[in-house]
Amino acid sequence: MKLSDVLERKAIIPDLKSKSKPDVINELAETISEVYPNINDERLVEVLMERERLCSTAVDSGVAIPHAKLSGLASTIAAFGRSAEGIDFDSLDTRPTHLFIALIAPENSAGTHIQL
């Protein structure tokens, strides 16, 4: 499976307005809930932020992959956001993060979102 298999064009934010980690998570969640109306954006923010509290999903080279599992999904979905300025997302290399790929998998999936 490729990212292009689960990323809807409407779930792409070419210029994030967010300036902080919580704002990025909120903006991605709102976009996902607009594309997938059956997803509650507040619940999605909760599960994404729970994951971020465990360990930042920002890797290095300006990329973060916030991810979580959510009940009620039939398949993995994604959203993409870009910040030209970059945002402090607690990355491993301590540099600003510019590209955000949110992956949301069904609650009982076996790591499909990690494989993506």
Side-chain angles (χ1 to χ4, degrees):
M1 184 181 298
K2 298 181 291 186
L3 183 58
S4 59
D5 295 335
V6 298
L7 180 61
E8 295 288 329
R9 181 173 232 109
K10 292 178 186 175
I12 296 173
I13 309 167
D15 189 21
L16 288 164
K17 294 170 182 55
S18 302
K19 304 293 183 205
S20 68
K21 181 188 274 196
D23 290 345
V24 169
I25 297 293
N26 275 300
E27 195 169 344
L28 289 167
E30 287 173 9
T31 299
I32 288 170
S33 70
E34 287 172 12
V35 176
Y36 302 95
N38 60 322
I39 295 177
N40 179 296
D41 62 330
E42 291 175 8
R43 177 68 184 132
L44 183 53
V45 167
E46 283 176 28
V47 296
L48 288 169
M49 289 304 293
E50 277 176 26
R51 174 58 188 84
E52 288 298 323
R53 282 190 284 279
L54 293 174
C55 179
S56 178
T57 58
V59 284
D60 59 14
S61 301
V63 177
I65 309 170
H67 57 279
K69 293 184 177 184
L70 193 63
S71 62
L73 286 183
S75 61
T76 300
I77 60 173
F80 173 81
R82 178 184 152 282
S83 170
E85 287 180 35
I87 297 165
D88 178 3
F89 215 77
D90 302 318
S91 69
L92 296 174
D93 64 4
T94 69
R95 297 173 59 191
T97 303
H98 296 273
L99 305 176
F100 302 86
I101 305 162
L103 298 173
I104 316 304
E107 189 171 48
N108 50 0
S109 67
T112 306
H113 62 299
I114 302 299
Q115 293 170 358
L116 278 169

